[in-house]
Structure formats: structure tokens, C-alpha cells
Amino acid sequence: MSASRTSKSKIFDGRLNLEQQRKRAKELLKSARNRQADAQTRIAAHLPGKSIDDLQLADSQLVIARENGFASWPKLKSHIDRITEHQRQITSGHLPKLDTPETLHLRCGSDIRHGLELAGFAGAFMEFSDPFCQGPVPDVPLPDFIETRARFIASSYRIDFPDALSRLQREYAGLATLGDYDHVVLWFEHDSYDQLILAFLLDFIATLRPQTRLDLICVDRVPGVERFIGLGQLSPELLIWCWDNARAPVSDAMLAFGQKVWPAIRASSPDALRAVIDHGQSPIPCMIAALDRHLRELPDPENGLGLTQQLTLQIIRDHGPITAGKVFGHLMRSYDPLPFLGDLMFWDVLVDMGRTGSPLFTFPDDSAQTPWPDRTLSLTGTGNAVLSGTRNFMELYTGERWVGGIRITGAAAG
């Protein structure tokens, strides 16, 4: 599907070089001894109370290790040694035995498919990528549900409806074959795109009860990746790391939690999902934060904006005039606390924000001939007023959008 994880760019593949890390440690030590403020701040963050006068290379190496997500320098070194060995095996073609041809790798996108093949995984691959984080997710029978989703996808992501419907029907039908495999592994990360799909799959599996071994890989960070956004960032060696270190059996508690969360996502009120979030307990640690981020797409009482809409206006204000593609880059890299959108999904957000009689941002006159990522956005007076809270977007909005099962329309809608 055009809005799936195939559109998320690789930011960092997670490969660490030991010599480079040693060089960084020496540079940090030198900078700290020269009383450079940034170096001193980094030392204080990881070694509170440590005197700069007593600082040794081992101390700066420990800081570098902790900045990379490791408890100690030896653990960083051990990790790099293992990753380097995996890389050597992949390069030489002497791949480790990881799974079997009777294994199925199930992922909400195709972004890791090639990486799994390069790493030596022998199992089949299945994509299920209905993006529940956007569009209506109504509580209706499955055939009607699939048609509703296909109509949204076709309209929002500029896909022919028959193609969208055919693909969704194929993906949903594929789920009925999980019991045909000896081993099914669910590969997911921590954002709402992934976690809402995971909630659906857990609910589905709890009902289907396929006679197969089920494992879950669910990660919110990977050592050596400064800003982990998704599994698609990772090199093949790091996918092996996830397999070795983040894989766990799917428990009855996980299935029961999915059966609780999925109906709450589809509900026409946020109350049930807020109750899950407020309880704060989950057998899937990544899911609570993702559900909270999902509900932050509801209109803010002060300005009527969902969080993505608000951050978009903030980026245009802070950096504009700015192209839509660069707005998306800022959103993914630094502004969004838990980014979840693909590029076409973000374009749909921009289009939807334009459904108002008084625009929040403007385009140049030739925008119709320019690819959307290259179109320049400038904040209007209305956009500034909405962002400051002196006007409410919901009083201007003429469109319709959904947060799960919650339908949102503005006062200006016809």
C-alpha cells in the first residue's frame, strides 16, 4: 500500500564502528578537559558528581557507551563484535541458521523484507498494512469494514478503489492461513501505526487460535541508533540482533490485552481507550504510549488541532516558508515525540488541513504543477491565530476525519 512503511526513509542503520567510538571517547575527554560546555554537560548527564579534573579515558568511554544505549564500554564492544561477525557472515554468504522455511514473518509493511532475506532468514514473509492510525475504523462486520477501509485508502492515498479493495481483501484473507505455518513471528515497533495494527492482530489471533508457535518482536529502541523510528532503519545485522534479543512468545495475556484494546480503538468515544491508558499496565510495554499518542490526534480544546496538525503549523512557523517535504522531515526527526506517518499519510494530513474557508497556510500559485514535497508552505494570519489559540480550528474546518472509531467534523462542515 502506498502509505505503508515502504515510504519511511532509512535514517540510520545501526552499524557501529569500534574505532570510531574510541575516537569519540578521546575527543570527549579532550573537550571536557578543555572545559567545553557541551562535553561537560554530557559527562554530568552520565557520570553525575564526577570531577573533570579526575576524568580518565575509561570514564569518557563509559559516557559514549551509555549514549549508545549500553551499560558499559565492554558491553558496547561485545555488541559491536557480534554485529561485525554477523556482517562478515552475510558478506561471505555463510549465513547463520535462524528460522526455517516453515516460519512466517508478519510485518505491517514491506520495509524489512529484503533485510530479512539478506540476513539469512528462510521463512515466508507476509505484509498486513491497513493503516488504522488514519481513517475510519468502525465497529461493523468484516466485509463492510474492509470496504470502508478501502474507500478511505483509495481517496486519501490516490489509489484506484478496485486496487485498494483487492489488496485489502488479499491481506485480510492471508491472516486465515497463519495456522499453516509452524512458527509465526510478528515484527513491530513502538509507534501508533504499528501498535494499532498489532492490537487488531492480537484480537484476530485470539479469535482464530491458530495451532502454531507465535512470537512477537516489539522494540522501541535499538542500541547504537540515536533516534529509533522504525525497523526499516536497521541493517540486516541489526534485524538479527532483534531476533536474538527482542523476540518473546505471544502470551495469553497479550492476546487478552489485544481483545480489550481493539474494541476500544473502534469505539465512537475515547473513554474506553483512555481507561486502558490511565491504567498504565500492559503486557506489551510499547502499546500504552502509542495509544496515548493516537488519542492526541483528537482536537485540542484550546485550538481545535490534533497533535500532528499542531506540530505541522509549528514547523511552518519556525522554519517557513518551507517545502512540504522538509516539514515532514522535521516532523519525523525532531518535532513528533512518537512519529508514525508515512509520507503520503502526511500529505493527506496537509490536504485535510486545507479543508477550511480560511486557510492556515498558503501555497505558491504554481503548486498544481509541482510535486507535493516541493510545494512551499507559508503560515497565514489564520494559521498564526489558530496556533496561538485565539481562534479554534474546529470553527473553521469543513472536512471530516477520524481517530479510530471517533468521527470529527467542524462547525463549518456543510
Side-chain angles (χ1 to χ4, degrees):
M1 196 154 304
S2 296
S4 74
R5 289 309 166 88
T6 54
S7 61
K8 291 186 78 175
S9 60
K10 287 193 174 184
I11 296 171
F12 187 72
D13 67 9
R15 289 173 175 155
L16 291 173
N17 180 282
L18 186 58
E19 289 306 313
Q20 183 185 54
Q21 300 307 310
R22 283 175 173 148
K23 182 179 178 181
R24 290 184 64 215
K26 291 176 182 177
E27 291 172 347
L28 176 61
L29 178 62
K30 180 179 179 180
S31 297
R33 287 176 173 173
N34 288 336
R35 300 301 195 268
Q36 293 186 11
D38 177 67
Q40 290 180 316
T41 299
R42 291 166 63 192
I43 296 294
H46 295 282
L47 299 175
K50 182 70 177 183
S51 170
I52 298 298
D53 294 330
D54 298 332
L55 201 65
Q56 302 297 318
L57 180 59
D59 299 314
S60 62
Q61 287 178 334
L62 177 57
V63 172
I64 295 297
R66 289 179 174 175
E67 287 178 340
N68 277 300
F70 299 91
S72 68
W73 180 261
K75 289 187 176 180
L76 166 64
K77 183 179 181 300
S78 176
H79 172 81
I80 293 176
D81 288 342
R82 287 196 299 271
I83 295 302
T84 302
E85 175 59 18
H86 288 321
Q87 185 179 6
R88 186 196 65 77
Q89 291 173 333
I90 292 169
T91 302
S92 67
H94 296 91
L95 300 173
K97 181 175 175 56
L98 299 164
D99 62 345
T100 73
E102 288 71 42
T103 301
L104 174 68
H105 300 278
L106 178 55
R107 167 77 174 142
C108 55
S110 59
D111 53 352
I112 67 170
R113 183 172 193 159
H114 185 55
L116 292 176
E117 292 174 357
L118 292 177
F121 289 94
F125 185 89
M126 180 184 293
E127 175 180 351
F128 182 87
S129 55
D130 192 346
F132 300 133
C133 56
Q134 283 191 323
V137 189
D139 187 5
V140 295
L142 186 60
D144 297 333
F145 181 79
I146 293 173
E147 182 173 342
T148 298
R149 294 297 302 164
R151 292 196 182 280
F152 164 75
I153 288 167
S155 172
S156 296
Y157 308 147
R158 288 61 173 173
I159 302 170
D160 289 339
F161 172 71
D163 293 339
L165 181 61
S166 175
R167 174 154 183 171
L168 276 190
Q169 288 173 334
R170 184 169 64 252
E171 289 191 0
Y172 279 86
L175 298 178
T177 69
L178 299 186
D180 296 345
Y181 297 89
D182 294 342
H183 185 196
V184 175
V185 185
L186 312 176
W187 291 77
F188 286 84
E189 61 224 27
H190 58 308
D191 59 47
S192 59
Y193 180 105
D194 283 48
Q195 293 297 306
L196 268 61
I197 293 176
L198 178 58
F200 163 78
L201 289 174
L202 292 173
D203 177 74
F204 183 91
I205 290 169
T207 302
L208 183 66
R209 289 289 173 176
Q211 296 300 304
T212 183
R213 174 187 167 198
L214 291 162
D215 281 345
L216 171 64
I217 293 173
C218 188
V219 291
D220 60 354
R221 60 179 59 87
V222 173
V225 181
E226 183 176 355
R227 181 167 168 81
F228 175 73
I229 292 178
L231 293 167
Q233 291 172 256
L234 303 181
S235 64
E237 308 91 85
L238 268 295
L239 294 176
I240 296 175
W241 180 91
C242 290
W243 176 267
D244 289 340
N245 295 276
R247 180 165 47 98
V250 173
S251 66
D252 288 341
M254 292 178 183
L255 296 175
F257 193 66
Q259 289 183 296
K260 182 177 183 178
V261 169
W262 179 240
I265 291 170
R266 301 174 78 179
S268 60
S269 161
D271 295 347
L273 203 52
R274 289 197 191 280
V276 171
I277 295 166
D278 291 344
H279 185 259
Q281 299 296 317
S282 167
I284 307 164
C286 297
M287 192 169 283
I288 294 295
L291 297 176
D292 181 68
R293 176 65 185 87
H294 173 66
L295 285 189
R296 292 180 72 184
E297 290 298 284
L298 292 173
D300 181 271
E302 295 296 321
N303 58 27
L305 298 168
L307 182 58
T308 298
Q309 296 172 329
Q310 179 166 315
L311 295 176
T312 296
L313 294 185
Q314 288 177 4
I315 293 167
I316 299 172
R317 178 198 62 194
D318 295 347
H319 302 279
I322 182 174
T323 64
K326 289 183 178 179
V327 173
F328 179 61
H330 282 294
L331 181 72
M332 296 296 290
R333 287 192 298 270
S334 56
Y335 277 73
D336 197 323
L338 194 54
F340 65 95
L341 294 172
D343 51 4
L344 286 185
M345 299 168 76
F346 177 66
W347 175 236
D348 185 62
V349 171
L350 293 179
V351 170
D352 185 62
M353 290 177 72
R355 296 185 174 114
T356 170
S358 183
L360 306 183
F361 45 80
T362 59
F363 298 92
D365 292 339
D366 66 345
S367 62
Q369 286 74 45
T370 305
W372 77 262
D374 299 327
R375 301 183 191 183
T376 301
L377 282 60
S378 300
L379 207 61
T380 64
T382 301
N384 271 307
V386 169
L387 193 54
S388 67
T390 58
R391 297 193 71 177
N392 192 293
F393 178 59
M394 295 308 297
E395 296 174 357
L396 308 169
Y397 182 51
T398 62
E400 173 188 281
R401 67 183 183 93
W402 294 76
V403 177
I406 304 168
R407 179 173 178 260
I408 299 167
T409 57

